[in-house]
Structures are given as structure tokens and as C-alpha cells.
Amino acid sequence: MIIKTNSRLPVFAADSYAEYPVLPLMTGVLFPGMMFTIQIGRPENIEVIKLYQKNKKKFITSYSHAEVETPKDPPIHQVGVFTIVRDVSEGPGGSKIVMLEGLKRVAIKDIISTEPYIIAMACEVQPPHFVSRTIKKKMEQVISVVREITQLDPVYSPELLNIIKMNMEDPSLLADRIASTFHFSLAAKQELLEAINLEFRYERLQYYLSEELNRVATVLSINEKVKKRIEEEQHNAYLRQQLHEIKKQLGEDFTEEKEAARFRNIIKSSPELPSEVVVRAKTEVDRLSQLSTASAEYGVTKLYLEWLLNLPWGKSTTENYNISEVEKVLAEDYYGPDSLKEQILQRLSVRKLMGGKEEGSTLCLVGAPGTGKASLAKAIAKALGKEFIRISVGGIADVADIKGTPRTFLGAYPGRIIRALKEAGTPDPLILIEDIDYFNLDNDSSVNMALLEVIDSRRNSHFLDNYIGIPFDLSKVFFICSVRSPEEIPEQFLPRLEIIDLPSYIEREKITIAKKYIIPNLLKKHGLVKSEFHINDKTLNRIITNYTQESGLLSFSQQIEKIYRKIALEKAERKKKYWTVSVKNLESYLGTPIYIPEKAETMPEIGIAAGLAWTGSGGELMFIEGLKMKGEGQIFTTGSLGDVMKESIQAAHSYVRSKADILGIDFNDFNDFDIHIHFPSGAIPKDGPSAGVTVSLVIASVMSERPIRNDIAMTGEVTLRGRVLSVGGIKEKISAAYRAGIYNIALPKENEKDIKELPKEILRKTKFTFIERVDELFGLCLLDFTPSSYTLEKIFAEEIKKAKRKKKTAKRKAPATAAKSRRKK
């Protein structure tokens, strides 16, 4: 391949072209009148040298763009040089060391052959012989720049200028000599070779010489500054040494010596320091004593020693706590289910038996905001007698935030874990790592692994902070993580975390927590006294239902704070001395209610049933509506439903359709009527299978035209065979029904064990019905549904009889079938 030139070439006659071998040059550009030594290793190029070495015949050399050995022929430039061989010697590995001499410029037209070497049609190119005044001026300018370069840069010989001036009679040869001698890029040299026009060639030559002059001047300026800096530092070092000797003679102390002595005393008085810390600290102290206080390195070294020696190396205490005492503290400081506390006590028992270390998975508290994750961790720290530290990792996207930056970096600092341990002053605190769901949103695996190295008990015994540079033992630190939901935990963390779900609080639990913890704390924070303020349970319940909608206690606590701030203002103005907040005057403190809770229907209706749902803000009562209309047997759904809920509705519809005879429904009605199922609050997305039983009941109601009891709520997943499966969030759902005044609840049989954790007040007042099949719900909830011929007992009895008849028939047919089989054989 030929790389065409951008310069204009003269037009040649057809008979002026001849065939010449071509030698590609990959390491340099050869100019006319110049010598060039290269090493040749390719067989085809060695063949050219052998043929043209003896008879001194000329051939073409052209610069090739190929930067590496290629199996194919390398590309060559259109403009090259007629060349002869001056000398050949043997090189390593069978190669040849060849000295070439350029003669004239040549233009390549076409490549005729590539075997056994490149042969091309080419013609000699001669520059114009006429020399104008402009060319002479440019020659003088070029000589002037060359003089400056040779004076500034010691790389070029002082005699180079005189050698170049010897070619002043031939402008073309002068330009080629300069282009060949100076350190231009190969692309620049090829451009100068292709410049046939002398004026253009001298313009480009002057441009590249100016660039070389700027480079030389810049390098010279930098070298002078470096030399000056070194001389100044040597001078200052000499003066400091003199000053040191003078002060030594006078008996005065240096500041750096005082600091070094202080650090040496810290090292001597700290026997718990590990040996590698002592060695590193002594090295840094010796270095500090040799530095000037004015030096930037002095401050860096001093700061590092402060960090290194103030970390709590080996100061841990023996964990000899009493489990019964820990249980008491947890019961006093945290309000939650006993099963959760028992799980915590089991982990603490293992930790005690292991001497304060454990190699199990790290605890991870999962719960909505305000469900007591931080309170539980704080209670555990108090029970164990440990320092409690909270670290938020939300928004962290860099490994340096966790493991620190190397000391060589400007503004280097340790990671968050080491900083927290220094502030705590102990190597075995309880650290709560919060906001893992907002951690490393870019999902950089290196950042995830850095945090996992901290909390994983299998790895953290030799945790290496990049700033400290010495492994620190984190195995005695009690790490607890917290997150809002398990789905938001990074994938790399799941195998190393033990998930503990913190359930949401129901109204009765919120009132109890408020009276026991929130109100006393807020009274103290707002400068109020308990004897000045009164609020009853009914008012607290109104705040929960009408002003908050959450699983936890954050918004509830904020509403109480609003009340206290208003009371604090009145107290500061001395308007009153005693305040009672009741349901009647609650709006004067908190304004118009934000939420209106659902209430039970006043009378039974066709096509409406009370379902129970669980959301992020707790349990809710959800009325599902349905109606039928003339159509083609389709089913329509509205209310921002998810795919799972739509599939559950379809399954419920199919099951009710299969039981049309039991419900007394004409089977043709399913083809002649459309059914529309609607979930109110259409702006809120809904999903999940737990509305299956409610939808089945609504469809059965609208198709059989029987009303549904208004005093019962239900939840459960339905299968195509009519079985009712267990669902989650039972405690919250029952609380929602109780809050709405519904005291009859239908639950899946498998959820019977989940009602044990409910408050006694709810258990005493609520009647539970546990169902295994949807058919049981029809008889329980549909009014006027007492078909004597289709009772469940009769249905099951008929199905058993059918199965027995089939079994007897199969037994009777078995001998005849066997005899027939034998006859065939």
C-alpha cells in the first residue's frame, strides 16, 4: 500500500518511470546526501541488499508507518529517496548492519510486485534550481534559529552550525541536512522530505525548529530552577546544622527535639503497643527529630505519629457480663417481641463463651425507619458495657473513605473505622453501621469488599488501613448493620449477614413506647416537667391514626415535639402553668388531621368485602369492590395493581367459576356478564397475593347476588384448587381491623401461630376463624348462603364415594385385563 503525499508533485512523462526495488524504513527517514545506518532482518530486504551491494546500483528507500513486525507488506510513503549501499556488516541473529547513502528524491507511482521483494514504478524528483531572495532570507532565519539551539542545548555539538553552513550554496541540501540532524519526529521528517517546493519546505523547517527551540528553552529553565532549589536546600541544611551546633553549645533545646522526646515517652509508657507499632513509631520519631519545624514533611510526620500512638492498641477488656443482667437491660431499654430478644441473647452467649470474639455472621437489623434499630443496638451496647458508635455509610463511593488514603497523598487521612476507634478510645466498642441501603450506589465491587473486610469476622483480625500502614485487630469490635429492607442489601453482603427482622409497631405498642420512652425524653429536651403536662391514651391514639402513617415512631415523635414546642412557647411567655392535651383541643396544636382512617361499612352489601393489607407504613384496611355487567365474560381490574395481584385475581375468578353449581350460579352467567374488580386509593401501587380470598368472595358475591357480611375482614392467598395459603404481616393487619372496629377476622390456618404476639386486649375482643379452603369462607361471609344440597360435608362425602367407586371398578377389571394380556402373548 502506498501512502500518498499531500504536497504537489510535478507531472512526469510516461517514459520517465522505471522499475526499482523498494526497501521500507521503519526506524528513520533518509534524506538526499545523508548517511543512515540500519539493522535489517527481513529475508526480502536482505535479498535487496545482497543484489545491490556489489555493483552499487541504486534502489528506493521509503519510510514505512508500521510500528511492529507485520506478516504482510508494510505501507510505504509515495516520496522516497534513491539509495546506494556504502557498507554492510554482520549483525546478531543473521541480520545485517547496513550503511545507506541517499542520492535523490523519488516519487513512487505503483507497486508492481512484492515477491521476492517490493518492486515499484518510480521517477526521480528534482527541486527547482532557481533560488529567490525569499529563499535566501528564510535560509538566514533558519541558520539563526539553529545557532540559538546549539548554544542552549548541550546535546548538539558546537561544531554543528559550521557543518551546516558548509551547505549554504545548495538550499535544498541545507534544508535536508538540518532536517536529518535535528531531533524531529519521523512524521515531521517525512513531511520535510515530501516538500518539493523550497519555500514550503523552509516554512515547515522553520516551524519545527521553533518548536525544538521552545522545548530546549523549557528544559533549560526547569534545570536551572531545580539546580537553584537544590543549592538553596543545601545552603539551608548547612545553616541549620550550624544553628544546631550553636544551640547545642548554648544548652538550648529545639522544638523538634522536644516533640521527639514527647513521642519517645509515649512509646515507653505504652507497654501494650505491638512490636511492629513500636518499630515504626521509633523510626518516625528519629526522622522527626531531623526535620525542621518549617518543613511541610515535619507536620505530616507529626500528624502520623499522633494517629499511630493514640489508637487503642491492645486496650480491650474481658467480657464477663451476666446474661440474666443483659436480659434485664434489654427488657428495660427496648420494647419489642421476646423472640427477637431471645435471638440477641443467643448471639451474646456465644460471644461470651468465645472470649469476646466470634466467627459467625454479622447481625443485620432490618426494619422500617423508626422501628427501633438504633435503640436496640444502643441497648445491647449498654448491656455489654461497651462504647456505642454510630457510623453512617450512606453516600460512600470511595474505598479511601473506609480504608483511608496512603500517606504519600496530599491531605491523607485514616478511614472512618480507624477514626471512630480513636474517638472511642477502645478497640472493642459496639459499632452500628447504618444506611447500607444508600451505600455505594455506583455498585463498585471494590468499595463493597472494603466494607465487607471491616465487618466480616473471618477477615477483620488484620484490617489494614492505608494511612496507618499497620494491621489493626477489629475482631473484638461488635459490628451491627442496619437497613430498611432485605432487598436493598448489596449482594456481596448477604452470605455474611444474619438478618433480624424488626416488626412494625401497632397502635397499642406505639402508645406504650411513647409513655415509657418518648414522652419523658422529649419533656427533658424541651425544658418541661411531667407535672405540668397531661395527655391520655385516647389522644395519643388520635395522633397515631390521624396525623401519622408509618410502621415506626419517627413521625409520631415529631408530632409530639410540635405539641411540646407550642407548650414551651406558652411557658416562656408565662401564659399558663398546666397543659392538658385532649382529643377536643388536639387540632389547636397539630392542625387539621392529615389522614382519615378507613371504617367498617354500616350494612352488608353485594360486591364489597374488607380485605387486610400490609404496607411500609403498617397494616391497612382495604375495601375491595366488584360488580357485574352485561358483556362477554371478561374480568376488568383497576386500582394500580401489580402483576402478582392481577394473577391472583385471575386465579380467584377461575376457582369461583369452577364452583358455580355450589354457589347456585348459572354457568352461562360467566359468559354473558363481565366482572369489574376495583381497589380504592388508585394512586397507591398495590401488589401481592394476600387479597386472593377477598377477591374470591367479591366475585362469588356479585355473581350469586348475595351480600357480604360487613363485620368481618380477611386475608390469605388462594390457589387454583381453592386452598388458602399463609401470608405475612398478620400482626399489623389484625391491628388495622381492630382500629376500624372490625372484630371478626378470617385467617389462613397456617397463620394460627402468628396471633400469639398480639396484645391481650386485641385477643380478648377479636374472634378469629382459621380457614383452609375458600369454600369455608363462602358459608362464613355470604348471607343467605345455606344450600342444603351443597354443604361442604356433602361435597366432600360425594368426592370420597366417587374415589371409592373408581377403585372398586379398577379392582374388578384387573383380572380380566391380565388374562387378556396373557392371551395376546
Side-chain angles (χ1 to χ4, degrees):
M1 187 183 74
I2 298 175
I3 301 174
K4 300 291 185 181
T5 179
N6 295 325
S7 301
R8 182 178 295 176
L9 297 176
V11 180
F12 304 102
D15 58 354
S16 61
Y17 287 97
E19 294 182 5
Y20 298 96
V22 179
L23 178 67
L25 299 179
M26 298 183 184
T27 58
V29 178
L30 180 61
F31 286 87
M34 305 297 125
M35 295 287 189
F36 187 62
T37 303
I38 60 171
Q39 181 180 358
I40 297 176
R42 287 197 175 207
E44 62 270 21
N45 295 338
I46 294 174
E47 186 69 22
V48 173
I49 298 300
K50 286 181 180 179
L51 291 174
Y52 288 82
Q53 175 184 4
K54 297 179 181 178
N55 50 19
K56 299 294 183 182
K57 286 185 178 181
K58 62 183 180 181
F59 55 92
I60 299 173
T61 56
S62 175
Y63 171 58
S64 173
H65 255 302
E67 298 179 355
V68 295
E69 283 290 321
T70 55
K72 297 182 179 180
D73 299 319
I76 57 176
H77 282 267
Q78 184 180 9
V79 177
V81 177
F82 277 131
T83 309
I84 60 173
V85 178
R86 283 296 183 189
D87 186 35
V88 179
S89 60
E90 295 296 328
S95 62
K96 304 288 184 181
I97 307 298
V98 184
M99 179 182 290
L100 304 175
E101 180 183 359
L103 301 177
K104 301 290 184 181
R105 281 175 171 80
V106 61
I108 300 172
K109 182 181 181 183
D110 293 309
I111 295 176
I112 300 173
S113 174
T114 58
E115 296 294 339
Y117 42 77
I118 301 174
I119 300 175
M121 295 291 292
C123 178
E124 181 180 326
V125 180
Q126 285 288 355
H129 296 288
F130 175 73
V131 180
S132 64
R133 291 182 180 179
T134 307
I135 295 297
K136 289 183 178 180
K137 287 183 180 179
K138 290 185 177 180
M139 289 171 62
E140 292 174 359
Q141 292 173 355
V142 166
I143 292 296
S144 175
V145 177
V146 169
R147 182 182 294 107
E148 291 185 41
I149 293 174
T150 53
Q151 288 175 352
L152 292 175
D153 195 349
V155 173
Y156 299 107
S157 171
E159 299 297 326
L160 178 61
L161 182 62
N162 296 329
I163 295 171
I164 290 174
K165 284 183 177 181
M166 293 170 63
N167 301 288
M168 290 290 291
E169 299 298 327
D170 188 347
S172 178
L173 184 60
L174 176 66
D176 291 343
R177 174 74 66 181
I178 295 173
S180 176
T181 304
F182 281 86
H183 301 160
F184 301 153
S185 65
L186 294 180
K189 290 187 176 185
Q190 180 63 31
E191 182 185 357
L192 294 172
L193 180 66
E194 294 175 358
I196 308 300
N197 184 280
L198 284 177
E199 289 189 7
F200 178 70
R201 194 189 307 175
Y202 270 94
E203 285 179 5
R204 301 308 298 163
L205 182 62
Q206 192 168 3
Y207 170 76
Y208 289 121
L209 283 172
S210 299
E211 281 194 341
E212 180 68 8
L213 179 60
N214 291 335
R215 184 192 68 80
V216 171
T218 303
V219 171
L220 184 65
S221 174
I222 292 173
N223 290 340
E224 287 180 355
K225 289 180 180 179
V226 171
K227 183 179 178 182
K228 186 177 180 181
R229 180 71 179 272
I230 292 173
E231 290 176 352
E232 288 178 356
E233 289 183 357
Q234 289 177 343
H235 180 67
N236 292 337
Y238 177 72
L239 292 178
R240 280 197 298 269
Q241 190 62 30
Q242 283 186 325
L243 184 62
H244 178 78
E245 292 297 329
I246 292 170
K247 287 195 172 185
K248 192 174 181 181
Q249 293 292 330
L250 294 173
E252 296 179 0
D253 292 331
F254 287 99
T255 303
E256 52 266 30
E257 286 294 339
K258 289 182 179 179
E259 287 295 322
R262 182 174 69 87
F263 284 122
R264 288 191 182 98
N265 289 333
I266 293 174
I267 295 171
K268 289 180 180 178
S269 60
S270 304
E272 71 279 356
L273 292 177
S275 57
E276 58 267 29
V277 175
V278 173
V279 172
R280 176 70 65 84
K282 286 182 177 179
T283 303
E284 295 295 329
V285 169
D286 293 340
R287 190 159 166 266
L288 182 72
S289 63
Q290 302 297 323
L291 295 172
S292 169
T293 53
S295 171
E297 197 171 355
Y298 175 85
V300 172
T301 305
K302 181 183 175 184
L303 181 62
Y304 175 74
L305 283 169
E306 294 282 1
W307 276 104
L308 184 66
L309 297 177
N310 286 312
L311 286 176
W313 302 95
K315 293 182 179 178
S316 60
T317 56
T318 305
E319 296 190 8
N320 54 358
Y321 46 82
N322 191 326
I323 293 297
S324 59
E325 294 295 328
V326 172
E327 187 175 2
K328 289 181 181 178
V329 174
L330 289 179
E332 291 175 1
D333 290 10
Y334 175 74
Y335 187 90
D338 294 336
S339 58
L340 187 149
K341 296 176 184 177
E342 184 179 356
Q343 194 173 356
I344 298 293
L345 291 173
Q346 291 170 1
R347 288 294 301 263
L348 297 181
S349 301
V350 174
R351 186 178 180 88
K352 180 182 179 181
L353 295 175
M354 294 295 292
K357 291 185 178 182
E358 55 178 327
E359 296 184 0
S361 52
T362 305
L363 284 179
C364 182
L365 306 179
V366 178
T371 51
K373 298 185 291 293
S375 300
L376 177 57
K378 191 173 183 179
I380 295 172
K382 181 181 177 182
L384 300 181
K386 291 180 176 291
E387 290 288 332
F388 177 62
I389 302 172
R390 298 176 69 172
I391 297 178
S392 174
V393 295
I396 287 181
D398 190 1
V399 175
D401 288 329
I402 300 170
K403 301 190 66 176
T405 52
R407 289 177 58 198
T408 54
F409 287 22
L410 183 64
Y413 57 90
R416 292 197 180 187
I417 306 301
I418 294 297
R419 279 182 277 168
L421 291 176
K422 183 190 174 186
E423 292 175 6
T426 175
D428 57 350
L430 188 147
I431 297 181
L432 176 63
I433 299 180
E434 300 179 294
D435 303 323
I436 290 184
D437 38 353
Y438 296 108
F439 171 71
N440 188 22
L441 297 179
D442 297 333
N443 200 23
D444 185 352
S445 58
S446 61
V447 183
N448 286 341
M449 295 309 295
L451 182 58
L452 191 60
E453 186 180 344
V454 172
I455 65 174
D456 191 350
S457 57
R458 300 174 304 171
R459 309 179 187 179
N460 60 12
S461 59
H462 290 81
F463 173 72
L464 182 63
D465 186 274
N466 294 326
Y467 180 81
I468 301 300
I470 297 175
F472 193 94
D473 185 6
L474 297 179
S475 61
K476 291 193 175 182
V477 179
F478 196 154
F479 288 105
I480 298 178
C481 301
S482 71
V483 68
R484 293 181 302 174
S485 67
E487 292 79 13
E488 297 174 346
I489 300 175
E491 183 179 355
Q492 292 93 333
F493 290 77
L494 287 173
R496 297 304 306 161
L497 295 179
E498 180 183 348
I499 306 298
I500 296 181
D501 287 308
L502 273 67
S504 56
Y505 294 117
I506 60 176
E507 287 76 9
R508 175 53 54 189
E509 291 173 335
K510 289 181 180 181
I511 293 172
T512 303
I513 294 171
K515 293 167 69 176
K516 189 175 181 181
Y517 303 105
I518 297 176
I519 290 177
N521 289 338
L522 293 181
L523 284 171
K524 188 176 180 182
K525 288 181 180 179
H526 290 79
L528 302 175
V529 183
K530 188 177 180 180
S531 58
E532 300 173 337
F533 172 80
H534 175 72
I535 185 169
N536 56 27
D537 293 0
K538 195 173 182 180
T539 308
L540 292 174
N541 189 69
R542 179 63 62 87
I543 296 173
I544 294 169
T545 55
N546 288 62
Y547 293 90
T548 67
Q549 196 173 39
E550 58 177 349
S551 299
L553 297 158
L554 290 180
S555 182
F556 181 39
S557 178
Q558 291 169 1
Q559 297 299 327
I560 297 176
E561 282 190 77
K562 287 183 182 179
I563 296 172
Y564 284 173
R565 284 196 294 268
K566 195 162 187 177
I567 292 174
L569 176 62
E570 293 178 356
K571 183 179 180 180
E573 293 175 350
R574 297 183 179 179
K575 291 182 178 181
K576 294 170 68 177
K577 292 184 179 181
Y578 185 80
W579 292 266
T580 299
V581 180
S582 62
V583 174
K584 292 182 179 179
N585 65 358
L586 184 61
E587 290 190 19
S588 63
Y589 290 96
L590 298 180
T592 306
I594 304 172
Y595 305 103
I596 300 174
E598 294 281 1
K599 293 183 179 179
E601 294 292 327
T602 55
M603 59 183 296
E605 292 185 38
I606 296 174
I608 182 167
L612 296 174
W614 183 89
T615 65
S617 58
E620 289 187 9
L621 192 67
M622 180 170 57
F623 290 99
I624 300 175
E625 302 171 347
L627 57 82
K628 71 175 182 178
M629 50 200 168
K630 281 288 184 179
E632 299 176 353
Q634 298 183 24
I635 183 165
F636 302 100
T637 58
T638 53
S640 299
L641 309 184
D643 293 337
V644 176
M645 185 167 279
K646 289 179 180 178
E647 292 174 359
S648 179
I649 292 172
Q650 191 62 51
H653 177 262
S654 298
Y655 181 75
V656 174
R657 188 172 182 176
S658 70
K659 299 296 180 181
D661 53 347
I662 299 176
L663 293 165
I665 304 170
D666 187 351
F667 192 79
N668 293 325
D669 288 352
F670 286 97
N671 297 324
D672 299 336
F673 290 93
D674 291 339
I675 300 175
H676 187 165
I677 302 297
H678 177 65
F679 289 71
S681 303
I684 302 173
K686 308 168 189 69
D687 205 358
S690 63
V693 294
T694 316
V695 173
S696 300
L697 188 62
V698 170
I699 295 173
S701 172
V702 297
M703 295 304 296
S704 64
E705 298 184 354
R706 292 187 177 92
I708 301 172
R709 287 173 55 186
N710 63 315
D711 62 343
I712 187 168
M714 65 212 70
T715 183
E717 180 182 354
V718 174
T719 69
L720 273 177
R721 294 180 296 165
R723 292 184 62 244
V724 180
L725 305 181
S726 63
V727 292
I730 293 297
K731 186 177 78 169
E732 292 82 2
K733 292 176 179 179
I734 294 173
S735 176
Y738 183 82
R739 181 172 64 243
I742 296 178
Y743 305 117
N744 294 291
I745 298 174
L747 297 175
K749 182 71 174 178
E750 296 176 5
N751 288 117
E752 187 173 0
K753 60 184 182 299
D754 296 329
I755 68 170
K756 295 178 182 178
E757 296 182 0
L758 290 170
K760 294 180 180 179
E761 179 185 350
I762 295 178
L763 290 174
R764 185 172 59 254
K765 201 169 183 180
T766 305
K767 181 182 178 181
F768 297 99
T769 304
F770 300 100
I771 57 177
E772 296 184 69
R773 298 183 60 83
V774 184
D775 310 65
E776 302 173 41
L777 196 66
F778 296 156
L780 179 68
C781 300
L782 290 177
L783 299 180
D784 303 327
F785 179 59
T786 55
S788 58
S789 59
Y790 292 109
T791 60
L792 290 176
E793 292 79 2
K794 188 171 183 179
I795 293 167
F796 295 147
E798 288 178 358
E799 289 180 356
I800 292 169
K801 288 178 181 179
K802 286 179 182 179
K804 287 181 178 180
R805 283 197 297 268
K806 286 182 180 180
K807 191 173 181 181
K808 288 180 180 178
T809 305
K811 283 183 179 180
R812 285 198 305 270
K813 289 182 178 180
T817 305
K820 189 176 181 181
S821 176
R822 286 196 297 271
R823 285 197 298 271
K824 283 183 178 180
K825 289 182 180 180

